[in-house]
Amino acid sequence: MSDMSFNPATTDWYYPTEDIVKNAHVPDYESVYKESMSDIEAFWAKRASTLEWFKPWDKVLDSSNAPFYKWFVGGKINIAHNALDRHVKTWRKNKVALIWEGEPGDKKSYSYWRLWQETNKFANVLKSMGVKKGDRVTIYMGRIPELMIAMLAVAKIGAIHSVVYGGFSEQALADRIEDAQSRVLITCDGAWLRGNIVELKKMADQAVHRSPVVESVIVVKRTGQEVHMEQGRDYWYHDLMGLPIASNICETEQTDAEDPLFILYTSGTTGKPKGILHTHGGYQVYTSTTLEWVFDIKDEDRWWCAADPGWITGHSYIVYSPLILGATSFMYEGAPTYPYPNRWWKMVEEYGITILYTAPTAIRGLMRFGDAWPNRHNLSSLRLLGSVGEPINPEAWRWYYNVIGKGKSPIMDTWWQTETGGFMITPLPSVGLKPGSATRPFPGIEVDVVDDEGNSCGPDEDGKLVIKQPWPSMLRTIYGDPDRFVQQYWKAYEKQGWYLAGDSARKDKDGYIWVIGRIDDVIKVSGYRLGTAEIESGLVSHKAVAEAAVIGVPDDVRGNVIYAYCILRAGFQGSDELVDQLKDHIRHEVGPIAVPTKIEFTNLLPKTRSGKIMRRVLKSRALGLPEGDISTLEE
Ligand code: WTA
């Protein structure tokens, strides 16, 4: 991509209007940041006190067993209580919590009162099925309100949800069910996407077949097509919700601040996905503070986070923090271009969306269709825009800013990760912007760009992004694998006690951070985080493939696409049919999002003498660039 590269010298500044600054929750970033850093614990304690606690904490931060930090130790709090229970005691009970539109055009809305009742009912259903505090429940659904209700109900009874994105397929789902040992799976018959049905139930059936730990499957009827229902195992959601047991009163479990809230699997350097664990207390303090301050959420707003609830962005900023703030959210089920490329803009106009938060890949995808589609609609309700998932190239930034935001809506480019739980490097509405930079750390967050020894890099020098102090919504561990947690995030700068983010970055002379990309074997495809290892092991599980290597190659719309190189087993010949077969195989083993754009057969993969595949060399070859230092290449 022509302007994808970093070039701060030519960067222009964009300043928010006086109106935006004056009315923002935090009109002066500098002073709040300074204050937060003078006493981080006092800062977070003050933020925590905006929430309702069953019992206050004894200690804000316990670092005695670092990096296994604990926050708000001794406190009792449940996220479902702050998201729902406390609002129904106030005028907010009649406020709209969620407006939803399905891809075919059907609509629904939920007040806080109704969402609370539905959550209570479903929580009682789960209890009646024997789900108890600490049990893991896997959720595999499309973007429908019941997904939110399911997550909230699980949280309410102190169980732990593991949401698996609907773009993953049976093997990926089975692996995640197996790792979490979930006895209950919640899914739906199907989901609408681009006018077609994604066969979620069918994939769920195959996953359960591969992972027999599941005892009960609850199925929401969404599309209405015929699906197989296994007697004694599968139950319709609407049948269960109609039973007397599904009473609309359900007491909220008084969970400990450090009790697990959810596991969310994400990709790392090995084939086995990592179950990132977040807890009830710190996570809600952090996500609600960041949403309120960065997107300046007010009661009159219509907030639209266009992510999928199956990823961290959806967990933190569709489901939990907007509800904690008592906001009105909008959620849309389907594809941005269905049936026409104006679908999003039509909905912005119709629902009076005031804040839109999406990913660069979506912006680039819509930009391709030209200005006429958005220009047909009245987008004047928008006052703030947001971006997440990968660096936003200045060309897309300017289009978003000028054509969608009409030059009056600042873009909050938020850098963060599944592991961080919430925004880490991000502007607040009062901060001056440079297109392509996520700007400055959020108050209470200390970040730096350092070399391998831990020295701060000079201005515009490439280095590793680290976080130097703990924060409330930090991941607590990798589920079932504390050693990997330490190894992955804390080993590189063990002496200093810093968190290694896994991204490379630069800091310019103004202290603005420019995130460049991953330094590990993670590829961002359309903003989705995928691991090369998971795709490689998917390829190798095909009978024709002996060895595979996968790389990400830059793409104008999707950010990156996947190229795969395969060495075939003896007796197999490379052919177009085999390419198609392998693509199909990946579609089932990992999911449609992980299908390589290109599969090439080769006799040799570049490896180090210790046998590690040199993806860097493959990438240079794919891009026709010099191969760089290949001194460690195997003879
Ligand atoms: C990348 C998504 C540049 C980064 C919330 C990070 C970004 C990874 C940005 C985490 C951004 C996310 N600018 N890069 N604004 N936001 N990233 O866990 O490489 O799916 O490490 O969380 O996305 O991806 P994840």
Side-chain angles (χ1 to χ4, degrees):
M1 178 157 293
S2 53
D3 70 346
M4 202 93 167
S5 57
F6 164 81
N7 193 355
T10 61
T11 295
D12 30 348
W13 284 86
Y14 289 77
Y15 293 101
T17 60
E18 214 174 287
D19 225 33
I20 284 187
V21 177
K22 194 174 73 212
N23 295 315
H25 281 287
V26 180
D28 180 10
Y29 164 81
E30 298 295 342
S31 67
V32 174
Y33 185 79
K34 218 161 132 202
E35 184 204 317
S36 72
M37 296 318 284
S38 70
D39 187 344
I40 287 185
E41 290 185 40
F43 174 75
W44 290 118
K46 196 163 153 200
R47 295 308 306 164
S49 62
T50 63
L51 299 172
E52 275 185 17
W53 294 74
F54 301 119
K55 177 182 169 283
W57 58 91
D58 305 316
K59 195 171 176 12
V60 178
L61 172 63
D62 176 1
S63 308
S64 60
N65 190 27
F68 297 92
Y69 293 95
K70 288 185 181 152
W71 283 87
F72 307 109
V73 184
K76 296 235 177 246
I77 189 168
N78 184 309
I79 201 164
H81 176 85
N82 280 294
L84 295 172
D85 304 353
R86 71 167 171 157
H87 297 315
V88 300
K89 295 180 286 187
T90 71
W91 65 270
R92 274 210 177 82
K93 71 175 174 196
N94 293 323
K95 186 177 170 179
V96 178
L98 176 69
I99 304 167
W100 173 84
E101 188 167 306
E103 196 184 72
D106 46 338
K107 297 166 187 190
K108 273 187 184 176
S109 69
Y110 291 78
S111 62
Y112 274 88
W113 178 254
R114 172 141 180 249
L115 198 59
W116 176 71
Q117 286 198 331
E118 296 290 307
T119 299
N120 288 346
K121 285 166 67 99
F122 194 57
N124 283 321
V125 166
L126 290 173
K127 275 194 193 166
S128 76
M129 295 182 114
V131 178
K132 291 183 307 294
K133 180 167 184 255
D135 288 351
R136 280 81 52 211
V137 175
T138 297
I139 302 177
Y140 179 63
M141 289 166 86
R143 229 176 284 171
I144 53 174
E146 288 82 356
L147 169 52
M148 240 164 119
I149 293 165
M151 290 166 72
L152 289 159
V154 169
K156 180 152 204 163
I157 62 175
I160 304 167
H161 57 71
S162 161
V163 180
V164 178
Y165 170 60
F168 282 120
S169 49
E170 53 261 28
Q171 189 57 46
L173 175 60
D175 291 343
R176 286 156 177 77
I177 290 173
E178 198 65 30
D179 189 78
Q181 291 288 301
S182 299
R183 289 184 297 113
V184 175
L185 172 66
I186 308 166
T187 186
C188 41
D189 52 356
W192 288 110
L193 191 67
R194 286 179 216 98
N196 299 313
I197 291 175
V198 183
E199 300 271 3
L200 293 176
K201 177 63 166 66
K202 202 179 257 174
M203 289 190 278
D205 284 341
Q206 289 168 18
V208 172
H209 183 72
R210 294 181 193 199
S211 178
V213 55
V214 172
E215 291 163 10
S216 313
V217 180
I218 301 173
V219 188
V220 175
K221 189 174 244 159
R222 164 62 188 135
T223 52
Q225 93 274 24
E226 195 74 45
V227 293
H228 168 74
M229 294 291 280
E230 179 98 10
Q231 185 118 49
R233 185 197 73 186
D234 298 354
Y235 304 88
W236 286 109
Y237 176 90
H238 58 264
D239 286 344
L240 297 170
M241 292 290 267
L243 296 174
I245 188 77
S247 134
N248 57 22
I249 296 294
C250 175
E251 194 153 341
T252 299
E253 181 76 29
Q254 302 208 353
T255 34
D256 195 277
E258 281 293 312
D259 276 340
L261 167 63
F262 66 82
I263 301 166
L264 185 55
Y265 287 91
T266 189
S267 304
T269 32
T270 73
K272 196 173 171 302
K274 301 182 283 191
I276 303 300
L277 187 93
H278 284 285
T279 57
H280 272 268
Y283 176 78
Q284 60 180 302
V285 172
Y286 195 82
T287 53
S288 59
T289 301
T290 47
L291 180 64
E292 181 174 65
W293 287 7
V294 173
F295 285 104
D296 199 35
I297 299 281
K298 310 241 169 64
D299 261 322
E300 58 273 28
D301 274 314
R302 288 270 167 103
W303 159 249
W304 181 12
C305 168
D308 194 283
W311 297 89
I312 192 67
T313 310
H315 278 55
S316 299
Y317 299 109
I318 296 178
V319 181
Y320 289 116
S321 67
L323 293 176
I324 294 170
L325 297 177
T328 299
S329 286
F330 174 68
M331 177 155 99
Y332 166 60
E333 177 183 35
T337 50
Y338 187 84
Y340 302 109
N342 67 329
R343 181 64 184 266
W344 271 21
W345 317 127
K346 188 166 168 272
M347 294 188 299
V348 167
E349 178 173 11
E350 181 171 341
Y351 297 104
I353 302 298
T354 57
I355 313 168
L356 172 64
Y357 182 42
T358 185
T361 183
I363 298 161
R364 291 192 295 260
L366 290 164
M367 187 169 82
R368 262 192 318 179
F369 296 100
D371 301 2
W373 292 101
N375 284 348
R376 252 207 254 163
H377 295 276
N378 176 0
L379 306 179
S380 62
S381 57
L382 290 170
R383 69 178 180 90
L384 282 175
L385 300 171
S387 175
V388 60
E390 53 179 323
I392 178 164
N393 50 306
E395 186 193 353
W397 197 99
R398 290 198 185 90
W399 186 81
Y400 196 27
Y401 185 80
N402 291 317
V403 179
I404 305 307
K406 310 295 176 205
K408 66 172 177 60
S409 307
I411 298 174
M412 304 295 110
D413 179 358
T414 61
W415 176 90
W416 58 296
Q417 310 177 298
T418 307
E419 291 87 341
T420 69
F423 315 145
M424 301 296 284
I425 304 173
T426 173
L428 301 188
S430 57
V431 168
L433 306 173
K434 303 186 191 191
S437 169
T439 76
R440 314 280 303 275
F442 191 79
I445 300 300
E446 190 184 355
V447 299
D448 202 1
V449 176
V450 300
D451 65 17
D452 287 340
E453 279 71 53
N455 307 305
S456 292
C457 292
D460 302 341
E461 242 174 61
D462 268 29
K464 289 178 175 155
L465 191 62
V466 293
I467 303 169
K468 292 186 163 179
Q469 307 238 26
W471 66 101
S473 64
M474 61 201 305
L475 78 162
R476 295 303 191 265
T477 189
I478 292 176
Y479 185 72
D481 203 347
D483 293 343
R484 192 173 173 201
F485 164 72
V486 175
Q487 194 64 35
Q488 183 97 43
Y489 304 105
W490 303 97
K491 203 80 196 168
Y493 297 102
E494 191 179 12
K495 218 171 58 224
Q496 298 90 337
W498 299 338
Y499 168 88
L500 176 75
D503 279 347
S504 60
R506 294 168 190 167
K507 192 153 90 174
D508 70 17
K509 61 178 189 332
D510 302 312
Y512 276 49
I513 309 275
W514 299 74
V515 175
I516 303 166
R518 300 290 308 188
I519 47 176
D520 54 9
D521 301 324
V522 167
I523 310 177
K524 281 287 187 141
V525 179
S526 299
Y528 297 129
R529 179 167 164 182
L530 299 168
T532 50
E534 199 173 10
I535 307 169
E536 286 161 3
S537 54
L539 286 165
V540 175
S541 73
H542 189 279
K543 59 180 187 305
V545 181
E547 224 180 318
V550 157
I551 56 167
V553 173
D555 177 82
D556 275 358
V557 173
R558 286 183 279 175
N560 291 287
V561 290
I562 298 165
Y563 279 20
Y565 298 86
C566 299
I567 299 180
L568 295 179
R569 285 181 191 282
F572 288 91
Q573 281 291 321
S575 66
D576 289 349
E577 290 77 65
L578 185 56
V579 168
D580 290 343
Q581 258 185 42
L582 289 174
K583 285 187 179 178
D584 202 50
H585 184 68
I586 290 297
R587 199 167 287 122
H588 288 282
E589 289 299 302
V590 189
I593 48 168
V595 174
T597 308
K598 185 167 155 186
I599 298 181
E600 221 175 273
F601 302 111
T602 171
N603 293 322
L604 209 64
L605 289 170
K607 283 187 190 162
T608 61
R609 284 179 205 110
S610 57
K612 214 171 164 310
I613 293 172
M614 294 180 82
R615 292 198 182 75
R616 180 176 56 77
V617 173
L618 282 174
K619 198 161 171 169
S620 305
R621 284 182 193 165
L623 296 172
L625 297 171
E627 289 179 10
D629 177 14
I630 50 168
S631 58
T632 55
L633 199 66
E634 179 188 47
E635 307 293 299

